[in-house]
Amino acid sequence: MSEPIVTVKDVKFSYPAGVSALHGVSFDIKQGERIALLGPNGSGKSTLILLIAGLLTPKSGEIKVFGQKTTSKDFQKFRSRIGIVFQDPDDQLFTPSVIEDIEYGPKNLKLPDVDVHERSAHVLEKMGIAHLKDRPPHRLSFGEKKKVSLATALVLKPELLILDEPTANLDLVSRRGLIDTLNELSRTGTTIIVSTHDAEAIPELANRIVVISHGEKLVEGKTGEVLQDKKMLEASGLEPPTIVDLFGELKAQGYINEVPLTAAEGKESLLKLLKERRL
């Protein structure tokens, strides 16, 4: 069996002010998985992704990415294989124009100019933001900034992509485009970690969930199983997706056998149920 791409083992972390953020969290992530770190604001999940990216150092325990400890000097060599997208795009965009932000990473890796231009042009087209390439990032809408910040990560062709609250404050069109892009990346073998409190988006973003509550791993499991555990979610300050909650009630009353996870699956299930009741 191949080694996990990410190993988190008994990780604890406290901020300088003495605030304890994580209390012995452990889990593994295999290559190609789509993992959601689900938890309410302040649960410690954002701290956890910064630790996985090597931007913070654990107080105790260890994290390995690509088989290398994030605290080792050699880990710097692996950073180019990791893409991270912060919750607030203003934390990520800092140059005078969109194209300069997107080209910054490849140039920093000292890639040939032709590769830098080809990669940048491809990701601009892929994200539908080619028309924004000469615009100053601070003049963009929030949704446009989100797309640009994702493009700055994708241009590096990361093997591991980490996103903090990627669907926050996105309109429906941008949200749909983001989900489609991430799912396409997943099909090419990219490992994706999403930190979020948005349970509604998770069925289309992740096939496994790790629930983080008060700095501890509360539970982990397949997306469908975790999202149907209403009592656990509510105890963690979360709610199941509306579709899961609704059809969970129908299952409890014996109307259906399987609970759909997405709106499309829910529509199909409801039409089937109505058809059966007419016969």
Side-chain angles (χ1 to χ4, degrees):
M1 182 179 293
S2 59
E3 185 177 4
I5 198 169
V6 176
T7 298
V8 178
K9 186 176 180 181
D10 196 26
V11 167
K12 298 178 182 178
F13 182 84
S14 297
Y15 285 99
V19 178
S20 182
L22 295 171
H23 319 294
V25 174
S26 300
F27 59 87
D28 292 337
I29 299 174
K30 298 176 183 177
Q31 183 176 358
E33 277 197 295
R34 294 178 297 142
I35 300 294
L37 302 179
L38 176 63
N41 291 331
S43 62
K45 60 187 187 300
S46 293
T47 299
L48 186 53
I49 64 171
L50 292 175
L51 287 162
I52 293 172
L55 300 177
L56 292 176
T57 302
K59 178 181 178 182
S60 64
E62 69 175 26
I63 298 176
K64 289 184 178 181
V65 181
F66 306 117
Q68 189 74 39
K69 290 183 181 180
T70 57
T71 52
S72 72
K73 293 181 180 179
D74 289 339
F75 185 69
Q76 300 300 322
K77 302 174 184 177
F78 294 83
R79 284 188 181 275
S80 64
R81 298 166 66 183
I82 303 172
I84 184 166
V85 181
F86 298 108
Q87 179 177 355
D88 185 349
D90 288 329
D91 292 338
Q92 197 151 354
L93 307 176
F94 57 90
T95 69
S97 68
V98 166
I99 188 63
E100 289 175 271
D101 262 317
I102 292 173
E103 290 184 345
Y104 179 85
K107 285 182 177 179
N108 197 44
L109 293 177
K110 295 181 170 38
L111 295 180
D113 287 345
V114 63
D115 288 349
V116 172
H117 297 321
E118 285 180 359
R119 285 192 184 200
S120 300
H122 176 75
V123 78
L124 283 166
E125 187 67 28
K126 185 69 182 173
M127 297 302 300
I129 54 174
H131 62 293
L132 302 175
K133 70 183 184 71
D134 297 318
R135 295 267 300 276
H138 70 273
R139 299 293 296 273
L140 304 178
S141 70
F142 188 85
E144 289 170 336
K145 288 180 182 179
K146 278 271 195 177
K147 291 179 181 179
V148 175
S149 63
L150 179 57
T152 65
L154 296 184
V155 75
L156 298 173
K157 298 183 178 180
E159 296 171 51
L160 173 63
L161 181 61
I162 305 171
L163 306 102
D164 192 9
E165 299 288 359
T167 60
N169 300 312
L170 287 184
D171 58 50
L172 290 176
V173 174
S174 296
R175 180 189 177 103
R176 181 72 263 162
L178 172 68
I179 291 172
D180 288 346
T181 298
L182 295 181
N183 286 335
E184 185 173 333
L185 283 171
S186 179
R187 287 191 289 271
T188 65
T190 304
T191 304
I192 297 174
I193 303 174
V194 175
S195 167
T196 186
H197 69 274
D198 183 6
E200 295 285 349
I202 285 182
E204 294 185 278
L205 286 174
N207 47 32
R208 189 158 65 90
I209 297 174
V210 177
V211 179
I212 306 295
S213 180
H214 301 292
E216 298 181 354
K217 185 187 79 173
L218 192 61
V219 69
E220 68 175 297
K222 294 180 180 179
T223 295
E225 295 171 356
V226 173
L227 292 181
Q228 290 182 60
D229 192 341
K230 187 175 181 179
K231 289 184 178 180
M232 180 276 297
L233 291 174
E234 290 180 344
S236 305
L238 301 163
E239 294 183 349
T242 304
I243 291 294
V244 175
D245 193 23
L246 171 62
F247 283 87
E249 291 293 332
L250 292 176
K251 181 181 179 182
Q253 296 180 34
Y255 290 107
I256 60 173
N257 296 320
E258 299 291 333
V259 176
L261 301 180
T262 67
E265 292 173 355
K267 179 180 179 181
E268 183 179 340
S269 180
L270 185 57
L271 289 173
K272 181 180 178 182
L273 177 61
L274 292 172
K275 183 179 180 179
E276 289 173 349
R277 293 182 68 83
R278 288 197 199 103
L279 297 177

